[in-house]
Amino acid sequence: MRTAKQGVETGSPQGWTWVEKSVWTDRMLAALGNGVKGGKWFSLIDKVCATSTLKAAWQRVEANRGAAGIDRVSIDRFGEQSSKYLEELSPALREGTYKPHAVRRTYIPKGDGKMRPLGIPTVKDRVVQGALKMVLEPIFEREFHPNSFGFRPGRGCKDALREVVRLLKVGHTYVVDADLSSYFDTIPHDLLMRRVREKVSDGRVLELVQGFLSQGIMEDMKEWKPEAGTPQGAVISPLLANIYLHDLDMLVNGAGYAMIRYADDFVILCRDAQAAQDALALVKKWVEANGLALHPVKTHTGNARVPGEGFEFLGYRFEAGNIHVRKKSMKKLRDKVREKTKRTCGRSIEMIVESLNPMLRGWFGYFKHADRPTFSIVDGFIRRRLRSILRKQRGQSRGTGRCLDDHKRWPNSFFAKFGLFTMKEAHVLACQSR
């Protein structure tokens, strides 16, 4: 499998270094850059069912791991007979006899205490979806708006956040903070397929996409057919979700508003209150016409310079000129630290620090642009947890948990000897390097 570093200029064959080279030849990339006759792509199924494409898709599925689907075939089990499975897939896809399995529904906790539904396809379906995505993604990626950042090659959360910070600095402080209710579960299939057909005319490829949209969902030993939506957890879902919201990107940004979108999470930053109200009205009209809904409580406008009127985006809270870590993100970190620093864990401080550091470095790498007091607070919380473990190991009761002697017995330098990652120090170094 030949892949390269992701990212770069839209529309330029030299820029499409992230595509799968066994699928997108130089000739196809040239056609992508110059445009194809009628603006539609034909005869794509041969690319999807090619053994080289399926093999490349399997390698990505294998690398991502993940749970088994309803057929109970795990990644390891599939890998043991991958050549056989891929040989079976290729003619089935070419002849149009391949039918997706139902997805296994499970739930993961959300930050607000609710549960988010996930659909887990079989490994075989994930391979097919991966092959389909390799073929379709460049066609639509060429059209996507620069202010769309989620699930796109060479783009990510940090890019979206940088654009938000830039806009706030130049005076776009009036915000439309919009929240689409259950977006992935409510995308209308007919309207989504209409958007796919605007660029793709290969009937078997379209049947495959439709098949994955309408595949059954298995939950509690009962199977049912979805009438809308695309399962979160499916390989193809992020691309389909971006395809559906592309028109909204073009409408809002084309009207002169700065809309920054990451998947179904987006904000619109304006220079005055009236512009924010007008932008929200434009979004509401499009959302209603396209079978979606805005959350009535979470969607609002405000002036981010005013306390209480800020907004949250991708883990941060922007308010009154400050950048905070949002409460849910901070709680998630504290919960992870608590899990690794139970007083009864029985491990040495050295081992605990070793397990904490990768998580702390990763968290800081993402949230290093938050306001300075954040990092001292986190450092203090972690050291209190470690001192509590040390007291337990010395047979002291929890009632002495906050005694001032703890800081004398185990000062900050004590933990530094074990290499504990310190966010305050890391933040100072990061500020110096900017």
Side-chain angles (χ1 to χ4, degrees):
M1 179 179 67
R2 294 170 56 203
T3 58
K5 184 179 179 181
Q6 290 185 339
V8 302
E9 320 147 327
T10 301
S12 166
Q14 292 78 18
W16 295 90
T17 54
W18 53 271
V19 300
E20 175 55 48
K21 298 300 182 182
S22 65
V23 177
W24 284 89
T25 63
D26 290 341
R27 184 178 178 181
M28 285 185 69
L29 287 174
L32 186 67
N34 298 328
V36 291
K37 187 177 180 180
K40 291 188 176 184
W41 288 78
F42 298 83
S43 303
L44 293 173
I45 191 62
D46 61 318
K47 294 290 184 181
V48 176
C49 66
T51 303
S52 58
T53 307
L54 293 170
K55 192 174 294 184
W58 156 241
Q59 289 173 349
R60 296 188 186 186
V61 170
E62 183 181 31
N64 290 332
R65 304 302 295 175
I70 63 168
D71 61 356
R72 299 184 183 278
V73 175
S74 66
I75 292 289
D76 292 335
R77 183 177 165 190
F78 189 98
E80 291 171 358
Q81 302 185 65
S82 60
S83 297
K84 171 177 173 272
Y85 287 132
L86 297 182
E87 287 174 5
E88 293 172 350
L89 277 175
S90 184
L93 290 167
R94 184 179 295 109
E95 296 161 12
T97 60
Y98 180 83
K99 302 297 179 186
H101 293 82
V103 300
R104 179 168 64 86
R105 172 153 284 194
T106 186
Y107 293 87
I108 60 172
K110 294 172 61 176
D112 57 6
K114 297 180 180 179
M115 302 298 286
R116 184 191 305 278
L118 287 183
I120 302 178
T122 63
V123 175
K124 187 177 289 188
D125 283 347
R126 299 208 291 270
V127 171
V128 176
Q129 288 188 26
L132 192 59
K133 181 173 179 282
M134 285 178 184
V135 173
L136 293 180
E137 187 171 31
I139 296 171
F140 292 95
E141 178 63 29
R142 182 177 183 272
E143 309 292 329
F144 287 160
H145 196 278
N147 281 359
S148 165
F149 293 92
F151 305 111
R152 294 185 59 190
R155 291 164 169 261
C157 294
K158 293 181 180 179
D159 302 300
L161 290 165
R162 272 193 289 267
E163 183 61 9
V164 167
V165 171
R166 185 191 71 79
L167 288 165
L168 289 171
K169 285 182 177 178
V170 297
H172 291 72
T173 61
Y174 289 85
V175 62
V176 178
D177 188 4
D179 185 276
L180 291 169
S181 296
S182 303
Y183 171 62
F184 279 84
D185 292 331
T186 58
I187 302 173
H189 289 171
D190 56 340
L191 297 181
L192 173 56
M193 289 303 302
R194 185 185 302 173
R195 286 158 168 76
V196 177
R197 290 190 189 98
E198 289 175 358
K199 297 295 176 186
V200 177
S201 287
D202 189 309
R204 288 184 183 171
V205 168
L206 293 171
E207 287 176 8
L208 264 182
V209 176
Q210 181 66 66
F212 283 121
L213 288 175
S214 57
Q215 66 189 131
I217 295 177
M218 183 71 73
E219 184 175 9
D220 296 332
M221 302 304 293
K222 296 179 181 179
E223 183 176 344
W224 52 278
K225 294 282 186 180
E227 297 180 357
T230 178
Q232 293 189 67
V235 176
I236 197 73
S237 288
L239 174 61
L240 296 178
N242 274 334
I243 290 172
Y244 197 72
L245 288 181
H246 171 64
D247 287 353
L248 178 62
D249 294 334
M250 300 302 290
L251 174 68
V252 177
N253 285 288
Y257 305 109
M259 177 172 129
I260 311 301
R261 183 172 68 81
Y262 190 94
D264 58 334
D265 192 2
F266 65 90
V267 293
I268 305 171
L269 296 171
C270 307
R271 288 191 177 275
D272 58 70
Q274 186 58 55
Q277 291 295 334
D278 293 343
L280 179 57
L282 186 65
V283 170
K284 283 182 176 179
K285 184 176 180 180
W286 186 91
V287 165
E288 291 172 2
N290 286 271
L292 303 175
L294 290 172
H295 195 290
V297 177
K298 295 181 180 179
T299 300
H300 71 280
T301 63
N303 183 355
R305 290 176 298 192
V306 177
E309 293 189 22
F311 63 97
E312 294 181 350
F313 188 59
L314 301 180
Y316 281 90
R317 180 165 184 82
F318 300 86
E319 184 171 295
N322 295 313
I323 305 177
H324 307 282
V325 177
R326 71 171 188 166
K327 292 180 179 179
K328 290 179 183 177
S329 301
M330 186 64 78
K331 181 181 182 300
K332 189 174 181 180
L333 172 66
R334 287 175 178 265
D335 288 344
K336 288 182 177 180
V337 171
R338 288 189 181 99
E339 184 63 28
K340 291 179 177 292
T341 57
K342 294 180 178 178
R343 297 178 79 243
T344 57
C345 67
R347 294 187 299 164
S348 68
I349 290 297
E350 184 176 10
M351 292 179 64
I352 296 171
V353 167
E354 187 177 344
S355 70
L356 281 173
N357 278 346
M359 179 186 70
L360 299 179
R361 288 194 181 97
W363 193 89
F364 175 79
Y366 185 81
F367 287 107
K368 63 184 177 183
H369 299 291
D371 53 342
R372 185 172 57 185
T374 299
F375 307 109
S376 295
I377 292 171
V378 173
D379 286 340
F381 170 72
I382 293 167
R383 285 192 288 260
R384 284 196 300 274
R385 296 288 301 178
L386 295 177
R387 289 180 179 116
S388 180
I389 292 172
L390 290 168
R391 286 194 306 274
K392 174 69 174 178
Q393 291 175 351
R394 283 155 179 74
Q396 294 177 310
S397 67
R398 301 184 71 175
T400 61
R402 296 187 180 278
C403 75
L404 296 176
D405 289 343
D406 285 352
H407 290 80
K408 296 179 181 179
R409 282 181 292 179
W410 305 298
N412 296 354
S413 58
F414 173 84
F415 301 107
K417 292 178 182 178
F418 292 98
L420 178 65
F421 180 79
T422 306
M423 293 197 184
K424 181 180 178 181
E425 293 178 1
H427 184 251
V428 171
L429 292 174
C431 290
Q432 291 174 349
S433 64
R434 287 173 194 166

